[in-house]
Amino acid sequence: MSRMLRLPGLVDVHVHLRVPGGEHKEDFATGTAAALAGGFTQVLAMPNTSPPLATRPALDLALAAARRDARCDVGLYAGASPFHLDALRELADDAVGLKIYLNDTFGPLRVEDLPTLLGCFRLWPRHRLIALHAEGQSAAVAIGLAAAFGRPVHICHVSRREEIELIAAAKARGLPVTCEVTPHHLFLTETDAARLGPLGDMRPRLATQADQDALWDHIGHTVDCIATDHAPHTLAEKASAAPPPGVPGLETALPLMLTAVAQGRLRLERLVALMAVNPRRIFGLPDQPDTWIEVEVDRPYVIAADGLHTKCGWTPFAGVEVTARVQRVVLRGQVAYDADAGVLAPPGSGQVIRSAGHG
Ligand code: DOR
Ligand code: ZN
Ligand code: ZN
């Protein structure tokens, strides 16, 4: 027999909504429709757009589009760029955090020299979080910066055993380090990557079974947040000679994670900590009054691409059996999503989030 669960509105601290410049992949209206359909009422959007959110004009463009089009609440990251270090201070008031890319991935944002990196840590206000794409030994760089500057860092999409073990060691020493893990790294491995081809390619790449096992071993303590890294690209782009890395995830994260709860892999309270309580605390995000989601559990079905709200229209989880679905999302007292009626929140009903500073 299926049952209904009531949970808080979920928070995803890592999504790519592609505005400005990538509106053929996703925009604020479609990306936040996908968020609501997935049970998320607050999402934080990444700055690797075109142009990147590394200058005041680019951030203003994205803020205006978010105010006009968002159906749930959206915060924007500023992006660190060696060409625009001087812009950081004037971005900080309207950004929920600073994103620093230490490794190669989609888009041109990259910080590869120590002077720029130090500049970021000196110029970005201390009460605003710094999040890093920091794979492999770059994770050690991020932790070293947290120690040297005595300020929090958040490590995005941790995917490998060595990284999560290093973060556990840093936390045991009391260093102010937090981290997120994606559903694709928790539920897919390099074996799936071989099967999926470009639809299973992202940065960090899908890893080994041992890496995935380590993430699950640390899900109850070292891992702070589940974040989707929702990174839509069109099927045509994925079929091209140079497919861009990234996979969508907003609409599949909660069904997958609740299925893991049903299988006894984590407890429901831990899921709520990872997907709502911790992300809100870490990024200092505002409470959303009269906001909750209703989820049907213990009813098996197979994930399919049709019916998705993301503009890209595909998922790497097609064919995977799960046991939970979002039935209703209530945002500030209004039904924003209903599984039968669809997305009801109009563009513009979401608010642009201003961080109060990290917790
Ligand atoms: O696979 C990825 N895609 N990893 C990233 O870090 C960026 C993202 C994107 O923007 O497509
Ligand atoms: Zn990344
Ligand atoms: Zn990302």
Side-chain angles (χ1 to χ4, degrees), residues 220-243:
H221 35 99
T222 314
V223 178
D224 295 283
C225 311
I226 301 297
T228 65
D229 197 3
H230 178 82
H233 297 285
T234 66
L235 282 171
E237 289 165 338
K238 282 295 199 179
S240 72

Side-chain angles (χ1 to χ4, degrees), residues 7 22 48 75 102 138 148 160 207 220 239 254 279 290 294 326 331 337 358:
L7 303 175
N48 62 335
L102 295 181
S138 296
R160 300 191 189 101
L254 182 62
D290 293 320
E294 294 165 23
V326 177
L331 174 57
Y337 172 79
H358 53 69

